[in-house]
Amino acid sequence: MRAQSPYQRSGVDRTSAKYWAERVYHRSWAKEGQLVEANSYYVRIKHHGQRRDINLLTGDKAEAAKRATAFYAKLIGQGWDAAMATVRAPGQAPKTKSCTVGEYIKAARGHFQGLGTTFEDYARNFRLIVLEALKVSPADIEERALITGRRMALRELRRAQKEKRADVPPRLRYRGLSKQEQGWIEARAYQRLDEAVSRLRWDHRKEGRNAWAAAAEAVPLSKVTPAVINRWATARIKAAEAKNPTVRKRAKVSVETIKRQARSLFSEKKILKHVRTEIPNLPEVLPFDGVERETTRVKRFRPQVGLAELMSAATTELAGDREAMKAFLLGAFGGLRKREMDALTWAKVNAKRNLLLVEVSEHGRLKTEDSERELPLAPEAMEFLAQCQKLDRATRGDFVIQGTHSIGQRSRGYRCQKVFERLISWLRGQDVDDLKPIHYLRKLAGETLAEQAGIYAASSYLGHSSVKVTQEYYATGRPTVAPDMNRLMGHKIIIFPNGEQKPDKPKPRKAI
């Protein structure tokens, strides 16, 4: 009598999903020194002398077991050709091509629980990599760029004619263009074609950027391989290296930032494990599989102008601009971000206790959950704000800084943008050449508090998620004390030699 297998003795056979659930697996292979694992489940079956690895086109193990069971039943009854047609989701036509970049982004958006603007940053940076790495552009971009180039050339021609420049044809007609003007515009349009293409790519008002986004999203995801991303990053850094070392360093930081944000779209824990169950035709190798994360050296904060100098100048030069002075005090002494200033109302200002409350409100969000905090403010600064509230006749629901725009929750603009522009202009005049002058005030506040009360107090005051952020970006890192030689020597009197010391004469060598 033939011996029975454990599955036969337990009543489980090959027509049961339980049998195949223990036989489905993720296929893996070595590529460029890295172990790469398939996203979907496979099953290995031998029938009539043929052994094949079947891609079940799903990342869900239970669904993979069901598909393997149906496949095996079809294989036994009708053979390989009929069985291969069953490897798909019920009611779904078989797909042989990889999903597109747009299909993946759409599926990932449905599983992202963070801020919508954060996800759009991730998606925008991933599209940027696709466009630049694969040199993708809209089909009609040259025609549209030429039209834009002609408009740019016409405006340039009119300005040059007003200035009476000799290198442009004169204006002979009040309406219409002469043949000489048309020829000049056409030649100039072709010269500025690259500039016109760039303008169309970043044109948000007339939705020119939508054509570029659509072109990137139409690319199959399988074409965006780790090798393609690595080649794109290397080319960007080498192009910057040809200019000077400073530009190269900036390019390296920029490349790592773009890669980090684009990689977040493929987070296994937050997004990818859910997308696998929805998209059966994900490529075997995802874009960032095996792409190493490089750490770039952080440029420490080095103050250009001290807080005392800025405060001294502000008391006289910003006296006539009350709103700009408010923004200066909230940034330099409250350490507030621009978004936090923009949404601050008088209800969050407690003049009696000298406290500011920074929290989520109907007017705006916070950067992180740790950004919600209660801040003590200097009495002098709070007294100035209290006087402003009386002069403005403001109620508790009014904004501290008066603005001219109405900004929604998802908008990237600021309600008091005009005030910020005036403050930035003033800071530039005070030799603050930081890329973000108002954020420079926040860094000054963190540095000052770190020196007075320690790095942990500064981190809590600024609302950072960890003290590491404060140490890397907001503290100068320069030593504030010197080694105490007196204490080292046991408080003995240290006498250094005075005058010049005569060098020792070399001793004569003995003859051997």
Side-chain angles (χ1 to χ4, degrees):
M1 183 176 177
R2 189 174 180 179
Q4 291 183 336
S5 67
Y7 282 97
Q8 289 174 331
R9 290 195 298 268
S10 62
V12 179
D13 57 12
R14 295 190 178 188
T15 60
S16 170
K18 184 178 180 180
Y19 174 87
W20 294 105
E22 298 186 7
R23 283 164 171 76
V24 296
Y25 65 96
H26 282 296
R27 187 179 176 188
S28 60
W29 61 94
K31 184 175 182 180
E32 298 179 358
Q34 299 287 337
L35 186 64
V36 180
E37 187 177 88
N39 296 308
S40 57
Y41 280 97
Y42 280 73
V43 66
R44 181 173 293 175
I45 298 179
K46 183 179 180 181
H47 181 66
H48 286 178
Q50 295 185 36
R51 186 188 300 274
R52 298 185 185 181
D53 291 330
I54 312 302
N55 187 351
L56 299 172
L57 300 177
T58 180
D60 183 73
K61 189 174 183 179
E63 179 63 24
K66 292 180 182 178
R67 295 187 186 186
T69 305
F71 182 90
Y72 182 75
K74 200 76 170 180
L75 177 64
I76 296 299
Q78 301 182 25
W80 280 107
D81 293 337
M84 294 301 293
T86 65
V87 189
R88 59 180 182 269
Q92 183 183 29
K95 292 185 178 181
T96 57
K97 295 182 179 180
S98 163
C99 69
T100 63
V101 171
E103 290 172 345
Y104 182 85
I105 291 176
K106 182 179 179 181
R109 185 182 283 110
H111 296 287
F112 184 76
Q113 298 181 0
L115 295 174
T117 52
T118 303
F119 183 86
E120 293 308 319
D121 287 339
Y122 296 164
R124 184 183 69 252
N125 282 289
F126 185 50
R127 293 191 203 102
L128 185 146
I129 293 176
V130 174
L131 291 172
E132 294 187 357
L134 300 176
K135 295 180 172 56
V136 178
S137 60
D140 59 343
I141 188 59
E142 291 188 3
E143 297 177 5
R144 297 175 60 187
L146 191 57
I147 295 172
T148 302
R150 291 191 184 107
R151 293 173 181 167
M152 293 163 57
L154 177 58
R155 288 193 292 268
E156 182 183 355
L157 175 65
R158 293 307 186 208
R159 286 195 300 267
Q161 287 173 341
K162 287 183 179 180
E163 297 171 1
K164 297 182 179 181
R165 281 167 39 185
D167 59 333
V168 298
R171 186 167 186 174
L172 303 176
R173 300 179 183 177
Y174 181 74
R175 293 183 180 179
L177 297 168
S178 64
K179 291 183 179 180
Q180 293 84 354
E181 290 176 322
Q182 290 176 359
W184 189 91
I185 289 174
E186 196 69 17
R188 188 59 175 157
Y190 278 99
Q191 292 175 3
R192 301 184 66 176
L193 198 59
D194 292 341
E195 184 183 352
V197 170
S198 178
R199 286 198 179 189
L200 286 174
R201 181 173 174 178
W202 308 111
D203 183 10
H204 294 263
R205 292 184 179 181
K206 296 183 179 179
E207 300 185 352
R209 63 172 294 276
N210 291 348
W212 291 89
E217 292 182 354
V219 175
L221 190 61
S222 58
K223 288 188 176 182
V224 193
T225 62
V228 167
I229 293 178
N230 189 65
R231 193 181 302 114
W232 162 81
T234 305
R236 260 206 170 199
I237 294 172
K238 286 186 175 180
E241 187 176 1
K243 297 178 181 178
N244 59 65
T246 303
V247 176
R248 184 192 185 280
K249 184 177 180 180
R250 290 176 182 173
K252 190 171 179 61
V253 173
S254 177
V255 164
E256 291 307 316
T257 301
I258 294 171
K259 284 167 54 179
R260 184 181 69 250
Q261 293 201 0
R263 189 199 299 268
S264 299
L265 286 178
F266 300 89
S267 171
E268 178 68 34
K269 294 181 179 180
K270 297 180 180 179
I271 297 177
L272 191 56
K273 68 178 182 181
H274 303 294
V275 174
R276 280 198 180 106
T277 61
E278 294 183 3
I279 303 181
N281 57 335
L282 282 174
E284 298 285 351
V285 181
L286 292 173
F288 291 92
D289 289 348
V291 177
E292 296 182 359
R293 299 185 181 185
E294 297 187 14
T295 56
T296 55
R297 187 175 179 85
V298 177
K299 182 180 179 182
R300 286 193 175 274
F301 174 56
R302 294 184 178 88
Q304 303 150 0
V305 187
L307 185 56
E309 301 172 46
L310 287 177
M311 187 61 206
S312 178
T315 53
T316 57
E317 299 178 16
L318 286 181
D321 193 341
R322 191 187 307 163
E323 306 306 319
M325 188 64 180
K326 293 177 189 175
F328 172 81
L329 290 176
L330 291 175
F333 290 91
L336 268 62
R337 302 178 178 92
K338 289 172 67 175
R339 184 72 61 187
E340 294 168 350
M341 297 183 204
D342 201 57
L344 186 66
T345 60
W346 289 109
K348 311 300 181 184
V349 180
N350 190 334
K352 294 181 179 179
R353 298 178 58 198
N354 291 335
L355 291 176
L356 289 179
L357 180 60
V358 181
E359 62 180 359
V360 178
S361 68
E362 67 274 16
H363 304 297
R365 59 181 182 273
L366 298 179
K367 186 176 182 180
T368 63
E369 293 182 0
D370 298 288
S371 299
E372 189 165 313
R373 58 203 188 277
E374 194 176 50
L375 303 175
L377 198 64
E380 296 81 4
M382 183 60 75
E383 184 179 354
F384 172 79
L385 292 178
Q387 291 177 0
C388 291
Q389 184 179 12
K390 292 180 181 179
L391 294 173
D392 296 338
R393 296 180 181 178
T395 61
R396 289 175 53 83
D398 293 338
F399 291 102
V400 174
I401 303 177
Q402 297 180 7
T404 55
H405 299 287
S406 177
I407 301 299
Q409 283 275 5
R410 295 178 60 85
S411 174
R412 291 181 178 272
Y414 296 101
R415 181 186 53 81
C416 46
Q417 179 63 31
K418 297 293 184 182
V419 178
F420 291 152
E421 289 176 359
R422 296 199 302 270
L423 179 58
I424 290 172
S425 178
W426 180 81
L427 289 171
R428 295 290 188 206
Q430 302 299 317
D431 297 330
V432 177
D433 59 356
D434 194 271
L435 187 62
K436 299 178 179 180
I438 296 181
H439 202 73
Y440 175 82
L441 297 177
R442 174 175 162 84
K443 291 183 177 181
L444 276 181
E447 185 218 16
T448 303
L449 193 56
E451 292 180 354
Q452 294 176 352
I455 195 69
Y456 289 95
S459 180
S460 176
Y461 194 83
L462 296 174
H464 289 155
S465 57
S466 68
V467 73
K468 183 180 178 181
V469 178
T470 315
Q471 289 176 328
E472 291 185 347
Y473 295 97
Y474 291 79
T476 59
R478 63 181 180 224
T480 56
V481 294
D484 192 347
M485 299 183 67
N486 190 25
R487 183 178 180 183
L488 181 67
M489 300 299 294
H491 301 284
K492 295 180 181 179
I493 299 175
I494 304 172
I495 302 175
F496 291 95
N498 296 323
E500 296 183 0
Q501 186 176 1
K502 297 181 179 180
D504 296 334
K505 294 182 179 179
K507 296 181 180 180
R509 298 178 63 181
K510 294 182 180 180
I512 299 174

